[in-house]
Amino acid sequence: MLAALKDALAAAGMALRGGFAPESGDLVPLLDTGATARTVLLIGNVGGAMWQPFAASGAQDRYAADPMDRWTRDVLDPLAAAFGAKPLYPSDGPPYHPFQRWAARAEAVHVSPLRIFIHPAYGLWHAYRAAFLVAEALRLPAPAFADSPCLTCADRPCLSSCPVGAFTENGLDDLRCARHVDGPGGAECRDNGCLARRACPVGRGHAYPPQQMAFHMEAFLARRR
Ligand code: B12
């Protein structure tokens, strides 16, 4: 089952990001049958692999709002049905499903100083597209857990690269960020992606292509306008 799922995901530029056997503290909802899911599979995107399939899908012409989220559902709802899984999405909510908590159960990701999760190989260039809840206990390869690369990063350039200091002790000041990015001095972040995220030395080779950077920035601004 997992090999077939991986192949189907690869066609959409997505990847299986690992999985875990849920426990009560994981806040995993029940299946539609009322039973407890025995496996949660996490699906995501790493590096720029998803951009081309998404751009070629026509979703940006088809959907005026949230085209990537809607395309994700178009791709993954039928796949989940074919695999007998219940799909959950990061944008379901509020209240939101705790995708980052689940991610930390499934693979070697850690909270970065920017609060988004860092992966030892992909750095900050990855995200989650869905969780598939499965009734059966699937045998999953053991995750290759590793320490956070931030522990040995003395300079922490991510924290000094935001032109308006939007990363505060309390997390991202998204209003301050959006005002800058949407303003006359924000073209560099708007067109080429968040300067703080791009300052991270980990996984630079996996950075999203410029069109994807600009797409995510515009989506972030659209939520605030
Ligand atoms: C709401 C939201 C936002 C809001 C945040 C509003 C706010 N102040 O809360 C806004 C719109 C600002 C936002 C922006 C972005 N977001 Co956002 N966002 C979400 C969303 C939909 C819900 C987050 C949430 O409330 N979860 C509920 C809590 C209960 O979940 P949780 O997993 O238990 O929470 C964990 C985290 O909070 C984490 N954590 C966070 N901060 C800290 C700090 C410390 C000290 C510790 C220990 C833990 C910790 O630990 C918790 C427990 O494990 C998630 C998707 C999701 N469903 O999780 C994406 C998500 C977190 N966002 C994501 C991204 C990529 C971004 C952006 C970079 C998007 C962009 N423009 O490209 C920006 C920048 C974010 C930044 N630098 O901080 C990704 C992160 C992927 C990753 N690598 O980790 C997610 C997972 C979506 C996805 N599809 O993958 N986001």
Side-chain angles (χ1 to χ4, degrees):
M1 171 191 174
L2 291 182
L5 181 59
K6 281 181 190 169
D7 287 348
L9 293 173
M14 298 183 201
L16 184 60
R17 308 281 313 264
F20 61 94
E23 294 166 5
S24 58
D26 292 326
L27 305 175
V28 172
L30 296 176
L31 296 166
D32 294 342
T33 56
T36 306
R38 295 181 70 196
T39 308
V40 175
L41 299 174
L42 272 190
I43 290 160
N45 56 287
V46 294
M50 197 180 70
W51 181 253
Q52 198 45 47
F54 168 67
S57 72
Q60 291 178 90
D61 300 324
R62 222 168 29 254
Y63 299 125
D66 304 322
M68 191 177 275
D69 287 344
R70 297 183 69 176
W71 171 76
T72 296
R73 286 170 195 263
D74 289 347
V75 171
L76 294 182
D77 278 348
L79 259 185
F83 287 97
K86 176 185 172 81
L88 302 176
Y89 295 96
S91 56
D92 292 340
Y96 297 107
H97 298 298
F99 264 81
Q100 290 180 304
R101 183 189 303 211
W102 295 347
R105 292 273 278 116
E107 59 175 346
V109 287
H110 301 271
V111 181
S112 74
L114 302 185
R115 307 285 177 110
I116 55 175
F117 276 26
I118 190 160
H119 183 280
Y122 308 122
L124 300 174
W125 306 110
H126 66 101
Y128 299 92
R129 306 307 316 162
F132 279 10
L133 274 46
V134 181
E136 297 81 34
L138 298 180
R139 284 166 62 93
L140 298 166
F145 287 113
D147 283 344
S148 168
C150 303
L151 293 176
T152 49
C153 179
D155 295 342
R156 302 209 153 187
C158 58
L159 288 179
S160 53
S161 302
C162 174
V164 292
F167 294 96
T168 72
E169 274 180 11
N170 300 321
L172 174 69
D173 181 340
D174 53 322
L175 189 58
R176 197 188 302 179
C177 167
R179 277 198 189 121
H180 170 69
V181 175
D182 217 5
E188 182 57 29
C189 304
R190 200 166 56 235
D191 299 342
N192 296 315
C194 170
L195 276 165
R197 203 173 174 190
R198 281 156 58 203
C200 175
V202 182
R204 274 205 175 126
H206 296 284
Y208 296 158
Q211 301 92 322
Q212 188 173 359
M213 298 275 201
F215 172 88
H216 289 304
M217 275 302 184
E218 180 52 37
F220 165 68
L221 290 178
R223 284 180 63 133
R224 301 237 42 119
R225 282 185 193 128

